[in-house]
């Protein structure tokens, strides 16, 4: 049986770990079936506990952008480990990575390291609130900014402009400070500012959304957000946990030429080790403790192993002048060729793509917000997912996720992927 050991391991895991996993999407609840337990990864490939191999289109949800277990990153981690895992004191390495990032990313002067994207976004809105002296934030339906309370909010019913808790345990008190808007809905943003004058600390957005599937900003949406934030003295926060160092080295700020006041990072920045970060101008970042009054801290923040993995990964990217060109070319080829095959099969679909992010929606209309992403044919996606998995292609296990293309994917992997898509049959 193809997934014998994975099935046994999942059975056992469920006894000791809630739902058998340490992060919900891994459980395959959306696509059904038994989650595949991996034991190793190298370059473009994953190997599971039953010794099946897969071409990986998740890449640890982004971090493995240079391919898994890159020899140069591996060596850096090994070398650092010899010198100690963690000191709880400042290290030169932290300044080195901060300097490297602030020099090579537009529009940021200081950066604070944390250990996850969740922490980065949670801290960024605290800083935005502390800096502006305001309490409300605007977030978009379908955008994910980690699991801190302020973001686990869904749209309120009817005329309510504030959100409702999207998880038990999130209080109404917290929910009332998060305003919800539809992605790409400029009118709604104008209304929210009109109805909450002088109260909005910040807008937080995934500048290219990846957490409702890949959804792009349309009609200068980001530029308009920049403008309305300026007019109202609110901060614009780009959550670049996914897009940072992926769409370009300078992320969405560089690609769209829009300046955010605060930017959050995660995923690629740690090269596969647990790292998040938030960054901005001296003027804003100086409000953080110990210099300023807005508190934020972390025992393992700036951890030397994590910093060496992150810095080495970022240097590998930066030193390869064709890095993003290749990623884009791979993704474009997948988009065109998969589209062609699905058309030949007469299967309605939309492929959204930006840089090395893409999603296949089985939908007849365009997808530019969460409502539209929900209207896609998700049972068909689940079918597609499982048929490709059987053929050794590992897609994100949900129709609401983006694919993360890595630099290790070459013509051979593209061809194998297309062959699997050609063999896909509508059930
Ligand atoms: C993954 C993600 C987060 C959360 O990061 P974690 O490291 O999982 O806490 C936040 N924002 C975006 C856009 C993400 O994709």
């Amino acid at each position: 049986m193809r997934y014998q050991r994975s099935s046994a391991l999942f059975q056992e895991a469920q006894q000791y770990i809630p739902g058998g996993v340490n992060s919900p999407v891994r459980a395959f609840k959306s696509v059904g079936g038994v989650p595949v337990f991996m034991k190793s990864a190298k370059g473009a490939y994953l190997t599971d506990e039953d010794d099946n191999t897969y071409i990986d289109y998740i890449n640890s949800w982004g971090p493995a952008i240079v391919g898994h277990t890159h020899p140069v990153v591996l060596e850096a981690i090994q070398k650092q480990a010899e010198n100690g895992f963690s000191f709880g004191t400042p290290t030169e390495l932290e300044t080195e990575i901060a300097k490297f990032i602030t020099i090579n990313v537009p529009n940021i002067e200081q950066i604070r390291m944390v250990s996850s994207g969740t922490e980065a976004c949670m801290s960024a809105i605290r800083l935005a609130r502390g800096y502006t002296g305001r309490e409300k934030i605007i977030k978009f339906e379908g955008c994910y900014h980690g699991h801190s309370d302020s973001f686990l909010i869904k749209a309120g019913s009817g005329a309510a402009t504030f959100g409702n808790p999207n998880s038990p345990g999130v209080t109404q008190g917290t929910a009332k400070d998060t305003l919800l808007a539809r992605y790409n809905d400029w009118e709604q943003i104008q209304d929210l500012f009109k109805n909450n004058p002088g109260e909005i600390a910040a807008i937080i957005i995934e500048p290219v959304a990846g957490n409702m599937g890949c959804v792009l900003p349309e009609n200068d949406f980001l530029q308009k957000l920049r403008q309305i934030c300026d007019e109202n003295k609110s901060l614009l926060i780009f959550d670049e946990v996914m897009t940072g160092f992926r769409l370009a080295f300078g992320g969405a700020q560089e690609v769209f030429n829009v300046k955010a006041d605060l930017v959050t990072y995660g995923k690629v920045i740690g090269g596969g080790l647990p790292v998040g970060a938030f960054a901005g101008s001296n003027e804003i970042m100086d409000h953080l403790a110990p210099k300023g009054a807005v508190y934020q801290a972390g025992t393992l923040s700036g951890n030397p192993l994590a910093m060496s993995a992150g810095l080495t990964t970022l240097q590998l990217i930066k030193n390869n002048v064709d890095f993003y060109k290749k990623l884009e070319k791979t993704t474009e080829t997948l988009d065109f060729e998969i589209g062609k095959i699905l058309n030949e099969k007469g299967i309605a679909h939309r492929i959204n793509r930006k840089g090395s992010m893409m999603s296949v929606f089985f939908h007849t209309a365009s997808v530019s917000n969460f409502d539209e992403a929900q209207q896609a044919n998700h049972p068909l996606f689940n079918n597609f997912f499982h048929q490709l998995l059987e053929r050794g292609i590992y897609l994100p296990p949900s129709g609401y996720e983006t694919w993360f293309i890595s630099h290790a994917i070459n013509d051979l992997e593209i061809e194998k992927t297309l062959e699997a898509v050609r063999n896909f049959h509508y059930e």
Side-chain angles (χ1 to χ4, degrees), residues 23 61 115-121 143-147 205-208 210-211 239-243 264-267 275-276 401 404:
S23 195
W61 302 94
S115 300
S116 68
T118 294
E119 264 185 278
C121 296
C143 283
Y144 180 67
H145 307 293
H147 64 91
I205 186 168
E206 289 181 66
V208 170
N211 287 292
D239 178 353
E240 300 227 43
V241 170
M242 212 177 256
T243 55
T264 61
Y265 297 105
K267 302 195 165 105
V275 183
E401 302 285 355
F404 298 90

Side-chain angles (χ1 to χ4, degrees), residues 12 22 41 80 94 100 102 133 136 156 158 183 192 214 225 257 308 330 343 365 381-382 396 412 424-425:
E12 190 181 15
N22 281 310
Q80 178 55 50
E94 290 162 84
F100 187 73
T102 52
K136 291 180 181 170
Y183 203 83
L192 286 174
C214 180
L225 296 182
N257 194 24
S308 62
T330 303
N343 280 337
F381 176 86
N382 299 345
L412 174 68
F424 171 61
H425 49 96

Side-chain angles (χ1 to χ4, degrees), residues 39 143-144 160 254 277 281 400 412:
K39 67 174 178 189
C143 283
Y144 180 67
E254 181 181 323
S281 63
Y400 294 100
L412 174 68

Side-chain angles (χ1 to χ4, degrees), residues 112-115 119 122-123 126 278 288-289 294-301:
R112 169 67 58 87
M113 292 291 168
V114 294
S115 300
E119 264 185 278
M122 175 187 83
S123 307
R126 182 182 307 136
F278 58 109
L288 272 183
V294 177
Y295 194 69
Q296 190 278 324
T299 301
L300 291 175
S301 294

Side-chain angles (χ1 to χ4, degrees), residues 208 214-217 247 256 327-336 350-361 402 405:
V208 170
C214 180
V215 171
L216 276 59
L247 296 184
F256 295 100
L327 284 184
E328 177 113 30
K329 176 98 199 321
T330 303
T331 316
E332 184 182 272
T333 305
L334 288 167
D335 172 354
F336 288 178
R350 290 288 169 136
I351 300 179
N352 284 357
R353 167 171 66 91
K354 186 77 185 171
S356 56
M357 295 165 63
M358 69 176 262
S359 292
V360 177
F361 293 99
T402 184
I405 280 68

Side-chain angles (χ1 to χ4, degrees), residues 150-404:
S150 295
F151 300 123
L152 294 183
I153 307 294
K154 60 185 175 195
S157 57
T161 58
F162 52 86
N164 284 323
N166 201 9
S167 161
V170 176
T171 66
Q172 286 290 347
T174 298
K176 77 173 179 24
D177 290 326
T178 301
L179 309 173
L180 267 288
R182 252 186 317 276
Y183 203 83
N184 281 318
D185 191 335
W186 171 234
E187 262 178 45
Q188 211 176 13
I189 290 294
Q190 289 174 297
D191 286 345
L192 286 174
F193 274 94
K194 209 176 296 162
N195 296 331
N196 299 274
E199 292 186 273
I200 294 168
I203 299 178
I204 185 166
I205 186 168
E206 289 181 66
V208 170
N211 287 292
M212 50 179 139
C214 180
V215 171
L216 276 59
E218 291 170 1
N219 305 319
D220 291 331
F221 193 56
L222 301 175
Q223 285 82 352
K224 289 174 184 159
L225 296 182
R226 176 68 274 170
Q227 190 192 335
I228 202 163
C229 282
D230 286 342
E231 287 164 6
N232 291 277
K233 297 189 166 55
S234 305
L235 300 189
L236 179 60
I237 305 174
F238 275 4
D239 178 353
E240 300 227 43
V241 170
M242 212 177 256
T243 55
F245 313 104
R246 173 164 290 280
L247 296 184
F249 200 86
Q253 287 198 105
E254 181 181 323
V255 169
F256 295 100
N257 194 24
V258 175
K259 291 178 175 169
D261 298 297
L262 285 169
V263 186
T264 61
Y265 297 105
K267 302 195 165 105
V268 173
I269 200 175
L273 270 71
V275 183
F278 58 109
S281 63
N282 293 328
E283 151 87 13
I284 297 173
M285 296 300 281
D286 277 348
H287 283 70
L288 272 183
K291 195 168 186 186
V294 177
Y295 194 69
Q296 190 278 324
T299 301
L300 291 175
S301 294
N303 172 269
L305 288 181
M307 293 301 102
S308 62
L311 179 59
T312 308
T313 300
L314 297 182
Q315 285 168 337
L316 278 172
I317 297 172
K318 190 68 200 171
N319 292 339
N320 181 344
V321 286
D322 292 326
F323 189 84
Y324 293 104
K325 217 181 287 170
K326 178 183 171 186
L327 284 184
E328 177 113 30
K329 176 98 199 321
T330 303
T331 316
E332 184 182 272
T333 305
L334 288 167
D335 172 354
F336 288 178
E337 298 299 326
I338 290 173
K340 211 156 80 186
I341 296 165
L342 292 176
N343 280 337
E344 281 161 10
K345 291 177 184 292
I347 299 174
H349 67 279
R350 290 288 169 136
I351 300 179
N352 284 357
R353 167 171 66 91
K354 186 77 185 171
S356 56
M357 295 165 63
M358 69 176 262
S359 292
V360 177
F361 293 99
F362 292 104
H363 195 40
T364 49
S366 63
V367 178
S368 54
N369 60 41
F370 186 54
D371 290 339
E372 290 166 1
Q374 282 182 307
Q375 287 156 16
N377 186 340
H378 289 276
L380 184 55
F381 176 86
N382 299 345
N383 194 328
F384 183 71
F385 168 85
H386 278 292
Q387 288 191 36
L388 264 64
L389 188 72
E390 291 279 328
R391 295 178 185 279
I393 310 297
Y394 203 100
L395 300 179
S398 160
Y400 294 100
E401 302 285 355
T402 184
W403 309 8
F404 298 90

